[in-house]
């Protein structure tokens, strides 16, 4: 009976698994989403504050107060979801990639509506076009092969350490 060859390395604790490095394009997407979340939360808060200011001075509200509160709560929920996805992106769960892409598509649509609103008001905001371009690139990356590859791979499970 032949014995199996001895391993070249002595038995012991296995080396810790190497963490995969997130592609730079996905880091760009996460930064874009985080900035978008902060801007969404702040922008909705300013809508509410502007409504309160107009109400105190007896002026006509931008939108009814109930609508303003709905917008604020919706935007804060969206911002919280975006931040949660940014934090959880390192765990490489497929649903995180899908939610990030969905949030970015919503942001692109909102940006288009905002730009069209500035056109209708007679004061086109060209800076919004720059933001729209950045958001479109982020959507393209989030729906692309790099994101699909990143979010479809699960990190290795931790191995049990032998006692001793």
């Amino acid at each position: 009976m032949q014995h199996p060859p001895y391993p070249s390395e002595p038995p012991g604790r296995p080396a810790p698994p190497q963490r995969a490095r997130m592609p730079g394009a996905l880091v760009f997407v996460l930064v874009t989403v985080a900035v978008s979340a902060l801007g969404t939360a702040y922008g909705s808060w300013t809508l509410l504050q502007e409504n309160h200011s107009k109400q105190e001075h007896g002026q006509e509200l931008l939108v009814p107060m109930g609508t303003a509160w709905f917008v604020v709560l919706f935007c804060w929920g969206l911002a919280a979801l975006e931040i949660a996805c940014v934090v959880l992106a390192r765990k490489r769960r497929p649903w995180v990639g899908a939610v990030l892409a969905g949030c970015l598509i919503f942001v692109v649509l909102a940006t288009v509506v905002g730009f069209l609103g500035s056109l209708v008001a007679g004061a086109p905001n060209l800076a919004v076009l720059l933001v729209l371009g950045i958001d479109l690139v982020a959507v393209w990356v989030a729906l692309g092969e790099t994101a699909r590859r990143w979010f479809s791979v699960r990190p290795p499970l931790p191995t049990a350490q032998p006692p001793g």
Side-chain angles (χ1 to χ4, degrees), residues 48-140:
L48 192 62
Q49 291 303 310
E50 186 64 26
N51 246 11
H52 279 300
S53 175
K54 286 186 176 292
Q55 193 174 37
E56 289 173 359
H57 293 95
Q59 298 172 340
E60 187 177 336
L61 302 178
L62 295 174
V63 294
M65 270 318 242
T67 304
W69 273 105
F70 173 78
V71 168
V72 167
L73 294 176
F74 177 80
C75 288
W76 286 355
L78 179 64
L81 180 63
E82 288 175 326
I83 294 297
C85 286
V86 167
V87 170
L88 294 173
R90 202 77 172 115
K91 299 214 184 267
R92 304 177 82 166
R93 296 212 163 74
W95 68 267
V96 172
V99 171
L100 279 173
C103 288
L104 280 168
I105 289 170
F106 182 79
V107 167
V108 164
L109 293 174
T111 305
V112 167
V113 168
F115 180 69
L116 292 176
S118 73
L119 283 178
V120 169
N125 189 346
L126 298 179
V128 173
L129 288 178
L130 176 65
V131 172
L132 179 61
I134 292 170
D135 290 340
L136 285 172
V137 170
V139 167
W140 180 65

